[in-house]
Amino acid sequence: MKAIVAVKRVIDYNVKVRVKADRTDVDLANTKMSINPFCEIAVEEAVRLKEAGVVSEIVVVSVGPKAVQEQMRYAMALGADRGIQVETDSTPSSLDVARLLAKINEEEQADLFILGKQAIDTDNNQTGQMLAALLDIPQATFASEVKIADGRAEVTREVDGGLVTVEVHLPAVVTTDLRLNEPRFAALPKIMQAKRKPLVVKTLDELGVSLSHSIELLAVEPPAERQAGVRVASVDELLEKLRNEAQVL
Amino acid sequence: MMKTLIIAEHENGVIKSATLSAVTAAKALAAPMDMLVVGSNPAAAADSAAQIGGVDNVFTVENAALAYPLAELIAPLAKQLSDGYTHILVGASTFGKDLAPRIAALCGVNQLSDVIEVVDATTFKRPIYAGNAIATVKSHDATRVITVRGTAFPAADASGGNATISAADVTVGEAKVRFVRADVTESDRPELDSADIVVSGGRGVGSKEDFSKVFELADKLGAAVGASRAAVDSGFVPNDMQVGQTGKMVAPKLYIAVGISGAIQHIAGMKESGVIVAINKDEEAPIFKVADYGLVGDLHEILPELVSKI
C-alpha cells in the first residue's frame, strides 16, 4: 500500500509573527521555518503504518521554492521513502496544491493520502478535503485515530460535539488532528540517511497545472491588541470588579 | 445579480448557532438568501430554517443516507444547486470546515475560511497565523465559498422569517464512507461557542479529579466549560472542550481562565471575549497580558472561595 503525505514549510510553531510595516504581508525574513506541525503528525502516522506493515511506501510531496526540500528531508529522516517537490516561487492556494497532488497521483496511484488538517500560517484547513473532492474519494478529516484493514480505514474524528468514527473505503484522504500521535525526534543517522533518499523536482509546466491566483491578498494588519488590565489582590476584590466595574455578574 | 446559499447545520430540528452566525454574515451581502437543509428527516429543521429572518427559500433533501451529515454526500448536493449563487456560506464549525472545501473544489473555486468581516461582496477579512495577523482578501472566483467564524457575527434572530420550503431537485449519490458511531459528550451545560460565560481550565488545574473545581464554578455561574490544549492532552477533559487555534473559538461576555499559562494558540481562541479573568499562581504567565482582571494565587483555594461567594 502506497501513502502520499503532503508537507508544508511554515514559520516555526514557537515564533511570534510580525506584520510588515507596509502592511502587505507578515515579515518572514530571517525567521525560523519548520515543517507544519500537523504535517509532521501526518508523516509520523504514515511511518507508524509502515512499521505496522500496513503501508509499504511513503512518498512525501511539497510545493514551493527549493527551501521546502529542508522539510522534505526532515520527513524522510522520520521515515518517508522518497520525495516529489513541485517547484514554484509563487504562493499556491489550497486548491492549487490539491490539483497538483491529484496530478501527481495520476502516476503514483496511492491508496492513502495523509495531510495535516491545517497549516499554522494560513489556517485554511482545506487542502485534504479539496484533494478528496477532486479524486472523488472519501475524506476522514481531523483524525485522532486511524485503523486500516481490508481496504478500509476506520477513523475517529475530533468534531465539535466530541468524537465521531467513520469507515472509509480506500483510497481515501485522512487529515490529522493534534492527538493522532506524538511525532518522534529524527535521529542523527536517520537525518544523514535521508540526504541520500530520492527526491524528484517537478515544475508546474511539467505537471500541466497553472496556479489559480483567484484570491488576492490586499492587506495584512496586526489584530487589535487587548490592553492588559489590572491585578486584583483577593477573591472579594475580583467579585467587586466583576459586579460593579465590568458588570458581567 | 447576487444570491447567497447557506448550508444549514442542525440537530433535533434546531438550526445551530454557527449557521445563524452565517446568516448574519450573509445579510451584510444584501442579496437574496436561500438555505439548504438536508437530513434523513429534515422537516422540523426546515421549519426552523424558514422562520429565520432574512431567509427567502428553504430547500430540503430527505434521504436515509443523510442521517449523519457526510461531506461526501452533501458537497455534491450543494454543487448541483450552486448555479446562480454568487456566495455559498457555511458556519466555521467542524461540520463547515469539513464540508466547505469539498464544495469549493467541486465548483472549481478557492475557498475562504473563518471569515470575520464582510468588507464588500468580494472582499473579506480573515485571521491568519492563529489570529496574530488579519488578512484582507479579495476573491475573483465566480462563486465564493466561505466559512463564517461564529464569534465574529452574532447569531441571527431565529424567528420573524417566513421562507418558502420546497424539496431541492437534486440527486443523492453514493458515498464510499459509512458513519460508524458518535461518542458525544453529554452535558446539561451551555454550549461552549454560544455561552455568555466560559470557565476554562489548563494544566495548572492538576488532574482530572481537580477539574471538578472548574466544573463547580461553571455550574454556579451557569457557564460553559472549556480547556487548554495542555489540559486535553493530559486527559483531564475530552477534546471537544479545547479552546484555541485548532479547537473552538469562543467570545463570551466573561471568560475565566484558570491555571492556563496563555500560549499563543490558546489566546487565539478566546481573545475576542468581553471581559477576561485570569487566575494563575505564576504571576509572569502570559495570560495576564490579555486579562482585564488578574488574580495571582493557588486556584485550589481560589476556586472554592469563588464558588462560596458568588
Side-chain angles (χ1 to χ4, degrees):
Chain A
M1 181 183 295
K2 184 191 285 185
I4 286 181
V5 179
V7 301
K8 186 175 186 183
R9 175 182 167 91
V10 297
I11 188 170
D12 187 81
Y13 190 71
N14 293 307
V15 177
K16 191 172 193 303
V17 298
R18 276 184 305 276
V19 172
K20 283 183 183 171
D22 65 3
R23 306 212 161 175
T24 53
D25 207 337
V26 296
D27 189 357
L28 295 181
N30 304 315
T31 304
K32 186 184 178 197
M33 303 294 278
S34 295
I35 185 171
N36 177 46
F38 291 96
C39 302
E40 190 179 359
I41 293 170
V43 175
E44 174 68 30
E45 193 64 17
V47 173
R48 289 186 189 193
L49 287 168
K50 191 178 174 194
E51 287 167 347
V54 175
V55 163
S56 53
E57 187 184 27
I58 302 167
V59 182
V60 60
V61 180
S62 192
V63 183
K66 191 164 197 302
V68 304
Q69 290 187 8
E70 188 187 338
Q71 279 65 44
M72 297 177 69
R73 293 292 177 196
Y74 184 76
M76 291 180 199
L78 292 180
D81 295 295
R82 61 185 171 94
I84 301 172
Q85 180 205 355
V86 181
E87 184 152 27
T88 172
D89 289 327
S90 299
T91 305
S93 69
S94 301
L95 183 64
D96 295 329
V97 175
R99 282 175 172 160
L100 288 165
L101 290 169
K103 189 71 190 179
I104 286 168
N105 191 55
E106 284 179 12
E107 203 168 303
E108 295 291 340
Q109 296 291 313
D111 308 283
L112 181 64
F113 303 84
I114 312 181
L115 280 71
K117 78 165 180 179
Q118 75 189 70
I120 61 165
D121 51 0
T122 52
D123 282 334
N124 275 323
N125 195 334
Q126 299 173 352
T127 306
Q129 296 89 314
M130 289 178 159
L131 174 63
L134 297 178
L135 296 177
D136 193 23
I137 60 176
Q139 63 189 45
T141 50
F142 328 142
S144 63
E145 193 179 2
V146 176
K147 287 186 252 174
I148 294 181
D150 306 326
R152 292 168 193 191
E154 188 176 283
V155 180
T156 303
R157 306 176 50 230
E158 297 203 357
V159 297
D160 285 338
L163 299 171
V164 159
T165 303
V166 294
E167 183 189 78
V168 293
H169 288 246
L170 301 181
V173 174
V174 171
T175 75
T176 62
D177 218 316
L178 289 169
R179 279 167 285 274
L180 180 59
N181 61 50
E182 275 189 44
R184 69 196 66 192
F185 291 100
L188 190 60
K190 301 265 187 190
I191 293 172
M192 301 311 288
Q193 283 168 20
K195 290 180 181 168
R196 295 191 297 274
K197 290 185 178 177
L199 193 161
V200 174
V201 181
K202 292 186 187 277
T203 63
L204 296 172
D205 281 349
E206 281 172 327
L207 291 167
V209 175
S210 52
L211 302 186
S212 53
H213 297 299
S214 69
I215 306 268
E216 185 184 350
L217 184 63
L218 298 182
V220 174
E221 311 153 79
E225 290 291 335
R226 284 189 84 97
Q227 301 290 328
V230 297
R231 296 290 168 97
V232 293
S234 66
V235 165
D236 292 324
E237 190 187 347
L238 175 62
L239 288 174
E240 191 273 323
K241 296 275 191 197
L242 291 178
R243 284 183 177 124
N244 301 322
E245 192 174 88
Q247 301 187 337
V248 287
L249 285 187
Chain B
M1 169 79 179
M2 295 206 310
K3 210 162 77 159
T4 302
L5 178 67
I6 297 177
I7 320 292
E9 181 179 9
H10 58 90
E11 191 174 56
N12 302 325
V14 178
I15 304 295
K16 294 246 185 170
S17 68
T19 304
L20 297 175
S21 292
V23 170
T24 302
K27 283 178 181 170
L29 297 165
M33 189 194 314
D34 299 336
M35 190 173 282
L36 175 64
V37 182
V38 309
S40 54
N41 186 11
D47 283 342
S48 302
Q51 287 163 29
I52 301 169
V55 177
D56 299 302
N57 298 288
V58 172
F59 300 115
T60 62
V61 181
E62 182 171 336
N63 189 299
L66 295 165
Y68 184 80
L70 296 166
E72 291 87 339
L73 291 177
I74 301 174
L77 301 176
K79 167 73 171 84
Q80 290 171 62
L81 274 179
S82 65
D83 253 8
Y85 287 101
T86 50
H87 297 78
I88 298 177
L89 270 58
V90 196
S93 57
T94 49
F95 165 84
K97 289 177 176 182
D98 185 47
L99 176 62
R102 193 155 181 131
I103 295 173
L106 293 182
C107 294
V109 298
N110 277 294
Q111 194 237 303
L112 298 166
S113 295
D114 273 313
V115 163
I116 57 169
E117 188 182 328
V118 177
V119 179
D120 61 40
T122 60
T123 312
F124 305 88
K125 291 193 180 184
R126 55 176 305 267
I128 53 177
Y129 295 90
N132 287 300
I134 308 295
T136 304
V137 288
K138 187 177 180 67
S139 163
H140 297 281
D141 284 313
T143 310
R144 287 113 199 149
V145 181
I146 291 168
T147 59
V148 175
R149 180 170 288 191
T151 55
F153 298 91
D157 199 339
S159 62
N162 186 22
T164 310
I165 302 175
S166 60
D169 183 19
V170 290
T171 310
V172 179
E174 293 213 10
K176 292 170 223 149
V177 51
R178 186 173 68 86
F179 169 78
V180 178
R181 66 177 174 273
D183 301 300
V184 177
T185 312
E186 294 290 341
S187 170
D188 296 330
R189 297 187 180 89
E191 289 206 31
L192 199 47
D193 51 8
S194 54
D196 280 343
I197 304 178
V198 172
V199 183
S200 284
R203 201 202 310 266
V205 174
S207 69
K208 192 173 180 176
E209 292 68 37
D210 281 325
F211 220 89
S212 62
K213 297 192 181 87
V214 177
F215 284 110
E216 276 167 37
L217 176 60
D219 290 345
K220 193 75 184 257
L221 293 166
V225 180
S228 69
R229 180 189 168 189
V232 176
D233 285 355
S234 302
F236 299 172
V237 290
N239 66 282
D240 55 301
M241 286 169 56
Q242 182 175 323
V243 172
Q245 180 184 18
T246 67
K248 289 208 173 74
M249 296 290 160
V250 302
K253 294 191 177 85
L254 173 61
Y255 187 88
I256 304 178
V258 181
I260 291 177
S261 63
I264 299 172
Q265 292 78 15
H266 182 78
I267 289 172
M270 47 65 88
K271 66 178 178 170
E272 304 302 322
S273 304
V275 172
I276 296 174
V277 172
I279 299 170
N280 203 299
K281 67 176 185 215
D282 174 11
E283 62 179 276
E284 302 294 326
I287 190 80
F288 287 120
K289 293 203 181 98
V290 298
D292 299 286
Y293 302 109
L295 179 53
V296 178
D298 182 356
L299 63 93
H300 300 287
E301 291 164 18
I302 291 170
L303 289 182
E305 188 182 347
L306 267 172
V307 169
S308 70
K309 288 181 173 168
I310 288 170

